Amino acid sequence: MAETAGIVFIVMGLFFDLFGCLGLVRLPDIYNRLQAATKCVTFGTCSIMFGVFLMKGFNATGFKALLIILFLVLTSPVAAHALARAAHISGVKLWRGSVIDRYEEDKGKKE
Amino acid sequence: MNKPAGNGGTERHSTGAWLAGIALLAVLLAVIFFRTPEVPFFQDLPHMDLFRRCFFILFLCMALCLYRICRGPTPPDRAVAIDILGIVIVGFCAILAIPTGRSWYIDIGIAWALQSFIGALCLAKHLEGKRFDE
Amino acid sequence: MRSKMVRAALCFLVWLGLTYPPHWESAVVGLAASVFVAALTGSMFIQRPHLLGHPGRYFWFLIYVLVVVWECFKANIEVAFLVAHPKVPIRPGIVKVKTSLRSDTGLTVLANSITLTPGTLTVDVDRENGVLFVHWIKVASGDIEKATQAIVARFERILLKIFE
């Protein structure tokens, strides 16, 4: 029973991973790519880890899988935020279909 | 450092390219599911016929990330792809730990997750044009 | 002093998880290492240790985790739909939202959960004015108040109970 549930979680995680990487290739500019990739790949990998925990139960592998979930949820949004900010500061423009850029306006005011 | 000259991506979305992409993806997934290539190692383990398919789907994800690393028009694009590649590899290590039953594969996963996070932060600092100790 | 003790306990818990199954030799080494790390880093990370004793906050934190996991699942379905759609129907832009959270931990958790929920990504935080710059994949309106209602409001109510 736990094994079947684990396999279901792993397959769901693989599905989301695949869509995240497809988003990395398809979407037009870096900010959109960052959105798709960060959300889907983080959630997919966390789901894979939870599946591993369900299949293995409470032993060394299971505990470490839970720890990896904790690390990923804490670190991956921070890395995404740092990369988005760095991209904006280093001068990458938004996609030409973008509607609004309040950040650029504010930076212009400060200088 | 020199500023990236990107005007934020110039890709267009045509229906023909979408159909071609869907067809390519469907062919690849069909090959993975129905004519799974043999892996040269760990052949006689339990669940291996399922996990071989998982490995090849993850290889597909990695190939997409590598495409973005090679092609990415601006440096931040490459940095993002490197970060995502790290997370996919963590998932790969974790799945590898199940059929083989060796728990040190997941230790590699933990180390890789932390290392990839620190690498992403360093790349972000570098792209902002700062030194690493600011 | 109390924050150092809490920090040492957290480090020791992570060490125990990493070296499961527990063994007394590795536990002794881990205890020494976590006390050393806590003495070095001091009160850098936990600045208000008196808040850790309120049980109500842990209850709300549990509810918050459930809300975030559900939102995260919805986010993934939505992004998968966007990526698979032939025309990629996006209207991206960076909007400004206001928040009434002031503590560092609260702002960090808010920014992280905005990143993990549908179509939004925190780009920068202005801590003095309580302003977040959020990249939104489908901009509904560029107005500050409306964007705040749409993005921040659902988390802020719970976070105010946890961190303030």
Side-chain angles (χ1 to χ4, degrees), chain A residues 3 24-25 30 33 64 85-86, chain B residues 47 68 76-77 107 124 128:
Chain A
E3 206 153 278
L24 195 65
V25 172
I30 171 165
R33 278 174 203 150
K64 282 169 193 165
R85 188 158 164 271
Chain B
H47 298 305
R68 183 48 72 196
D77 278 317
D107 292 342
E128 277 181 32

Side-chain angles (χ1 to χ4, degrees), chain A residues 3 14 18 21 24-26 29-30 33-34 37 45 48-49 52 56 61 64 68 75 85-86 90 93 95, chain B residues 3-4 8 11 13 18 47 54 58 61 68 76-77 80 84 87 94 98 103 106-107 110 117 124 127-128:
Chain A
E3 206 153 278
L14 287 173
L18 189 59
C21 291
L24 195 65
V25 172
R26 277 205 83 199
D29 75 341
I30 171 165
R33 278 174 203 150
L34 205 49
T45 308
I48 289 177
M49 291 300 161
V52 170
K56 282 298 193 181
T61 316
K64 282 169 193 165
I68 291 185
T75 58
R85 188 158 164 271
S90 74
K93 298 274 190 302
W95 182 46
Chain B
K3 298 271 179 188
E11 295 180 21
H13 296 108
W18 181 71
H47 298 305
C54 297
L58 282 178
C61 293
R68 183 48 72 196
D77 278 317
V80 170
I84 299 306
I87 301 180
I98 302 177
S103 73
I106 214 158
D107 292 342
I110 292 180
F117 169 62
L127 291 172
E128 277 181 32

Side-chain angles (χ1 to χ4, degrees), chain B residues 7-131:
Chain B
N7 54 357
T10 51
E11 295 180 21
R12 291 160 168 266
H13 296 108
S14 67
T15 316
W18 181 71
L19 282 176
I22 285 280
L24 183 64
L25 200 67
V27 167
L28 280 176
L29 284 180
V31 166
I32 286 175
F33 274 104
F34 300 114
R35 293 189 167 264
T36 320
E38 287 290 327
V39 282
F41 44 86
F42 306 142
Q43 273 165 355
D44 46 351
L45 292 166
H47 298 305
M48 205 52 204
D49 49 344
L50 171 70
F51 285 113
R52 241 174 25 203
R53 293 177 168 86
C54 297
F55 292 156
F56 279 99
I57 291 180
L58 282 178
F59 284 148
L60 190 58
C61 293
M62 290 181 202
L64 291 172
C65 289
L66 284 177
Y67 169 80
R68 183 48 72 196
I69 291 178
C70 299
R71 172 85 201 286
T74 60
D77 278 317
R78 296 170 212 262
V80 170
I82 289 169
D83 188 27
I84 299 306
L85 182 62
I87 301 180
V88 173
I89 287 175
V90 172
F92 184 75
C93 290
I95 290 187
L96 204 51
I98 302 177
T100 56
R102 294 177 192 161
S103 73
W104 47 263
Y105 275 121
I106 214 158
D107 292 342
I108 302 175
I110 292 180
W112 202 302
L114 295 176
Q115 194 72 37
S116 136
F117 169 62
I118 293 170
L121 284 191
C122 283
L123 280 173
K125 281 274 179 203
H126 177 67
L127 291 172
E128 277 181 32
K130 286 182 186 170
R131 297 172 64 94

